[in-house]
Amino acid sequence: MGNTVATADAATTAAAEPRGADGVCWKMTAIGDPSDKALLVEEARPWPAIGPTDVLVSVGAAALNPIDYKLMMGKIAVMTTPPFVGGFDFAGTVEAAGAESGFEKGQKVFGDVPNMKETSPYGGSLSTYMLVPSNKVALQPPDMTHAEASSLSLVGQTVLDCLAMAAPSAGARVLILGASGGVGTSAVQIMKAEGLFVIGVCSGKNAGLVADLGADRVVDYTAEDWSETLAGDDAKVDVVFDFAPSGAHSTESWEKATKVLSTGGKFITISGSSADGSVTVGSFLSGKISASWTNTFGNHKYYSVLKVSDALKLQRLAKLAAEGKLKPVVDTVYPWEDVHAAFAKLMSGRSVGKIVVSAKTP
């Protein structure tokens, strides 16, 4: 990993001596396509002041997620809009740490923290250095590269939050849509570790991977309609997890899910219902009202989950990884300078597992 900033002798030294614009980052300067080199540009990033509970991380790798480009394209304006430093997921090495953070220089860590506005020193993993709160970072799983560890956080915590909402009983039958994607590949493994009967839906070319990850059954959506196939089973599905592309596909998936769900069964989605995948205040409130009506009067339950990061969930993921129950699936690792190509691949919807951008080299 290449460092572009001089190493501080101690966390207190780093906090006491702001170093100016030492780092660099990829900043999304305006709403638009992050594969556009005129919009996603490399800029200097000042060395931040480090508070008592802060951790400054020298980023070794940053994994990309659909929420990254959706924010950049202005599709989730209720959260933030450009300009901001890109990236949520990170893995790297502690460069400096506040006295109350519980971390120390040299430790390998991972997590996911977005940069909500360009003036904030926090978050934004497409950066040589990033400041993170200590309650949103954890020690990296042992014997794992930065590229692998960076691929665990956002997707893994998303799965844990969805499982908490679903609260399935031991041995429950669960269906995972988008089983070969970034969230789906983690979901198959985590849910098998929880003792669930997992049915994965993906294309035929990825069926072997999903089976190898532990799925008890795999349905090829390119060859058959999963809802028609599973509707003929004697045993119904207890929970459908929608980790496939958002928008109109999610609405269609909910309608199909009602054919296979048991009475009282749950549909858990991380997608918005808008055709273009955008989330507005209006669509959010409308979705909440519609879900409340469905959950009160319908035969099935509909829930939309927004992941919340915290160190305890990261520690749980690290434990699963250390036990060999969770292995990241990485599609491609792009060098720092090819970040635009990385976004193009992610937005194509053809990646299997995670897209990762490596640290900047000298």
Side-chain angles (χ1 to χ4, degrees):
M1 178 180 62
N3 288 347
T4 57
V5 184
T7 301
D9 292 332
T12 52
T13 303
E17 300 177 9
R19 297 175 175 271
D22 296 4
V24 294
C25 64
W26 286 110
K27 180 183 290 184
M28 192 65 183
T29 56
I31 292 175
D33 186 337
S35 66
D36 185 341
K37 295 182 179 180
L39 295 179
L40 183 61
V41 301
E42 187 179 75
E43 289 192 4
R45 191 174 197 188
W47 181 283
I50 302 168
T53 59
D54 291 338
V55 180
L56 183 67
V57 178
S58 174
V59 179
L64 303 183
N65 299 278
I67 193 172
D68 292 315
Y69 67 75
K70 289 180 182 180
L71 287 173
M72 292 172 171
M73 298 175 78
K75 293 182 180 295
I76 316 180
V78 293
M79 185 173 176
T80 190
T81 56
F84 55 73
V85 179
F88 280 62
D89 278 331
F90 67 90
T93 305
V94 175
E95 184 69 20
E100 300 172 20
S101 69
F103 291 89
E104 59 186 43
K105 183 180 172 122
Q107 292 178 314
K108 293 182 178 181
V109 294
F110 77 120
D112 70 280
V113 180
N115 177 241
M116 303 304 291
K117 56 182 179 179
E118 63 177 335
T119 56
S120 171
Y122 290 97
S125 58
L126 291 172
S127 182
T128 50
Y129 291 87
M130 62 184 293
L131 192 66
V132 299
S134 58
N135 64 350
K136 295 184 182 298
V137 63
L139 294 179
Q140 180 175 308
D143 303 319
M144 192 171 281
T145 67
H146 286 323
E148 291 170 331
S150 71
S151 301
L152 289 178
S153 179
L154 189 146
V155 295
Q157 291 187 94
T158 297
V159 174
L160 293 179
D161 284 352
C162 288
L163 269 174
M165 178 65 75
S169 58
R173 291 169 62 87
V174 300
L175 176 66
I176 299 174
L177 306 179
S180 63
V183 180
T185 51
S186 290
V188 171
Q189 298 176 79
I190 293 172
M191 292 184 192
K192 281 306 299 178
E194 291 293 313
L196 305 176
F197 184 93
V198 175
I199 305 169
V201 176
C202 62
S203 65
K205 66 184 179 66
N206 298 324
L209 167 67
V210 173
D212 289 343
L213 292 175
D216 298 285
R217 181 177 176 184
V218 182
V219 178
D220 175 6
Y221 73 84
T222 66
E224 54 188 327
D225 184 323
W226 58 266
S227 63
E228 297 296 336
T229 298
L230 297 174
D233 287 359
D234 292 333
K236 291 288 189 177
V237 172
D238 299 297
V239 187
V240 174
F241 292 96
D242 176 26
F243 299 141
S246 60
H249 294 292
S250 182
T251 301
E252 179 184 355
S253 295
W254 157 244
E255 294 169 352
K256 287 185 174 183
T258 60
K259 300 177 184 180
V260 306
L261 280 169
S262 59
T263 300
K266 298 175 182 178
F267 180 84
I268 310 290
T269 184
I270 58 173
S271 300
S273 59
S274 300
D276 64 351
S278 62
V279 179
T280 63
V281 173
S283 67
F284 178 79
L285 293 176
S286 176
K288 284 291 187 183
I289 293 171
S290 177
S292 177
W293 177 271
T294 296
N295 295 343
T296 301
F297 300 104
N299 292 323
H300 311 106
K301 308 298 183 183
Y302 181 106
Y303 299 102
S304 180
V305 173
L306 181 63
K307 183 262 325 168
V308 177
S309 296
D310 72 60
L312 291 178
K313 281 182 283 191
L314 291 171
Q315 292 166 12
R316 184 176 171 187
L317 295 174
K319 184 174 184 292
L320 285 170
E323 294 172 347
K325 297 176 181 178
L326 177 60
K327 298 179 181 179
V329 177
V330 178
D331 182 292
T332 310
V333 179
Y334 288 84
W336 171 268
E337 60 271 16
D338 289 344
V339 65
H340 305 93
F343 271 109
K345 177 67 178 288
L346 178 66
M347 291 187 292
S348 75
R350 294 187 174 89
S351 58
V352 178
K354 300 290 293 183
I355 299 294
V356 179
V357 178
S358 62
K360 184 179 177 66
T361 54

